[in-house]
Amino acid sequence: MKIAIVCYPTYGGSGVVATELGLELAKKGHEIHFITYKQPVRLALLSQNVHYHEVNVPEYALFHYQPYELALSSKLVDMVKLHGIEILHVHYAIPHAYAGYMAKQMLKEQGIEIPMITTLHGTDITLVGSHPYYKPAVNFSINQSDYVTSVSESLKKDTNAFFKINKEIEVIPNFIEIEVAQSHQFTNCQRDLMAKPSEKIITHISNFRKVKRIPDVIKIFHQIQQQIPAKLMMVGDGPEKEKAEYLCEELGISNQVIFFGNTQEIDKILCFTDLFLLPSETESFGLAALEAMACGVPVISSNTGGLPEVNLHGFSGFLSNVGDVSRMASFGVEILKEEKLHQQFKKQALERAKEFDIYKILPMYEALYEKALSNKK
């Protein structure tokens, strides 16, 4: 199949998932065309089956904001005609589903019918999409998609609550490449760069937005380290980072917390991590938690959004109500204080992550593509 994938090319979860999906589809012989304004961060190497087409947005003084969706829809039309693309798969509703619909209409006038699949990832629905300025366009775009998927049952429920959807939403969860996650091996001397042998390593990875409840991460760690020697690895960057650094100073734990910023060494950090914290206000899925679990790291998380669908309470980690810092900290201590129990949770976290192996999820997308093509005929 010849498939166009439209996504954001950034570090965010939707862009990463879309890119990894395209690369795996290419390995299976499908011809994949990434169409976006910049080469996706995970798209390191192009191959015979992987192509990247940049969307250029000319700057005109007339426009206060450059009309990316117009440039994108025109680029989609050109690429479909030039390469014989059979399916449009757009990730994130805004503005990709809207641009995809416009491209479909332009192609239809030229006698070309092409099915469009829209995958909803989270904030495109719960935050941006539900804003009154965008809601009508998002509602329209979703309903004009031929097929709609969401990354969790929770997001499906939210979408149906926020919008008037007239079609079935199929849940296809996010995924992880277990084989790749398990292939990273690092030496203990590299661990010593982060913590002493007697210290546990606790990690948080995010974009440091308010929804991630960064102060809760710091407070949970503060309580854990009062009982168990530990270091906290804060990976990522964003508007809440500076406040977090000040909070560490207030609590007197600055020398126990390392702020990495955006780093390419996440695999190394997770390899040595003993516990992962994700106390978010909401998560449509919780991809960061899954990536940790794939490295055999138990997770302490909130019980909001799609997190309970990923992190199984008492098995791969523990769930608590949003903001319940003390309970999350006590769960962390429970996992870490006895080595035998800690190793059991590590094993179970990996076992749970395997349920989301890409080789189990990929066939779900392929089946949907086949369905879209057969119904087109």
Side-chain angles (χ1 to χ4, degrees), residues 1 3-7 13-34 40 42-43 49-50 87-92 117-121 149 151 172-177 287 357-369:
M1 290 179 277
I3 305 160
I5 291 182
V6 183
C7 64
S14 68
V16 169
V17 168
T19 305
E20 297 292 350
L21 172 63
L23 293 175
E24 288 302 318
L25 287 166
K27 289 178 185 177
K28 296 195 69 175
H30 302 293
E31 184 177 308
I32 306 301
H33 296 261
F34 289 95
R42 295 274 182 112
L43 194 62
N49 288 332
V50 179
I87 296 171
L88 296 181
H89 190 173
V90 302
H91 293 257
Y92 213 82
I117 296 166
T118 297
T119 292
L120 310 175
H121 284 270
T149 75
V151 297
I172 301 181
N174 284 336
F175 50 80
I176 192 78
E177 292 185 81
L287 186 59
D357 194 342
I358 191 169
Y359 298 111
K360 291 186 176 182
I361 308 302
L362 191 66
M364 299 171 71
Y365 277 114
E366 288 184 296
L368 187 58
Y369 297 151

Side-chain angles (χ1 to χ4, degrees), residues 6-265:
V6 183
C7 64
Y8 283 115
T10 55
Y11 282 96
S14 68
V16 169
V17 168
T19 305
E20 297 292 350
L21 172 63
L23 293 175
E24 288 302 318
L25 287 166
K27 289 178 185 177
K28 296 195 69 175
H30 302 293
E31 184 177 308
I32 306 301
H33 296 261
F34 289 95
I35 303 176
T36 185
Y37 60 84
K38 187 172 68 175
Q39 185 167 318
V41 292
R42 295 274 182 112
L43 194 62
L45 295 173
L46 302 182
S47 69
Q48 185 176 352
N49 288 332
V50 179
H51 309 272
Y52 162 64
H53 310 289
E54 183 175 351
V55 179
N56 294 301
V57 186
E59 291 191 13
Y60 295 109
L62 175 66
F63 297 122
H64 184 65
Y65 299 106
Q66 304 308 317
Y68 175 65
E69 61 271 21
L70 295 181
L72 175 58
S73 58
S74 295
K75 186 73 172 184
L76 287 171
V77 169
D78 291 341
M79 294 302 98
V80 168
K81 292 165 63 178
L82 181 63
H83 298 284
I85 291 169
E86 301 168 283
I87 296 171
L88 296 181
H89 190 173
V90 302
H91 293 257
Y92 213 82
I94 302 174
H96 302 150
Y98 192 81
Y101 167 75
M102 294 304 299
K104 276 173 58 73
Q105 295 307 110
M106 287 187 276
L107 288 164
K108 190 174 182 179
E109 285 195 351
Q110 300 175 48
I112 300 173
E113 294 278 354
I114 184 167
M116 180 175 75
I117 296 166
T118 297
T119 292
L120 310 175
H121 284 270
T123 51
D124 51 342
I125 298 302
T126 58
L127 183 62
V128 183
S130 59
H131 192 286
Y133 292 169
Y134 303 113
K135 189 172 182 177
V138 174
N139 195 95
F140 176 82
S141 300
I142 293 174
N143 281 326
Q144 293 302 315
S145 303
D146 295 287
Y147 300 91
V148 182
T149 75
S150 72
V151 297
S152 67
E153 287 287 350
S154 173
L155 182 58
K156 175 181 177 178
K157 183 180 178 181
D158 286 343
T159 304
N160 284 318
F162 293 154
F163 301 98
K164 295 181 179 179
I165 305 301
N166 59 21
K167 58 180 70 241
E168 179 61 27
I169 299 175
E170 181 174 346
V171 176
I172 301 181
N174 284 336
F175 50 80
I176 192 78
E177 292 185 81
I178 296 294
E179 192 175 304
V180 172
Q182 290 294 293
S183 67
H184 299 294
Q185 299 294 327
F186 302 99
T187 62
N188 283 331
C189 64
Q190 290 170 304
R191 184 194 191 280
D192 292 344
L193 295 174
M194 295 184 282
K196 299 174 183 176
S198 60
E199 293 175 319
K200 296 296 185 182
I201 293 178
I202 300 172
T203 298
H204 171 80
I205 302 173
S206 77
N207 53 19
F208 284 57
R209 290 184 294 122
K210 278 191 175 182
V211 71
K212 302 298 182 180
R213 298 185 69 91
I214 301 301
D216 285 6
V217 176
I218 304 298
K219 293 172 185 176
I220 293 165
F221 171 74
H222 179 236
Q223 291 189 25
I224 291 175
Q225 59 82 41
Q226 289 175 344
Q227 299 186 54
I228 296 173
K231 284 284 183 67
L232 176 62
M233 310 292 124
M234 296 292 284
V235 182
D237 208 343
E240 295 291 296
K241 183 182 176 185
E242 189 174 339
K243 294 178 187 176
E245 291 173 323
Y246 281 124
L247 181 57
C248 289
E249 287 184 22
E250 274 182 46
L251 297 173
I253 56 173
S254 292
N255 64 338
Q256 294 166 262
V257 182
I258 301 174
F259 287 87
F260 285 90
N262 290 322
T263 175
Q264 298 296 322
E265 296 194 306

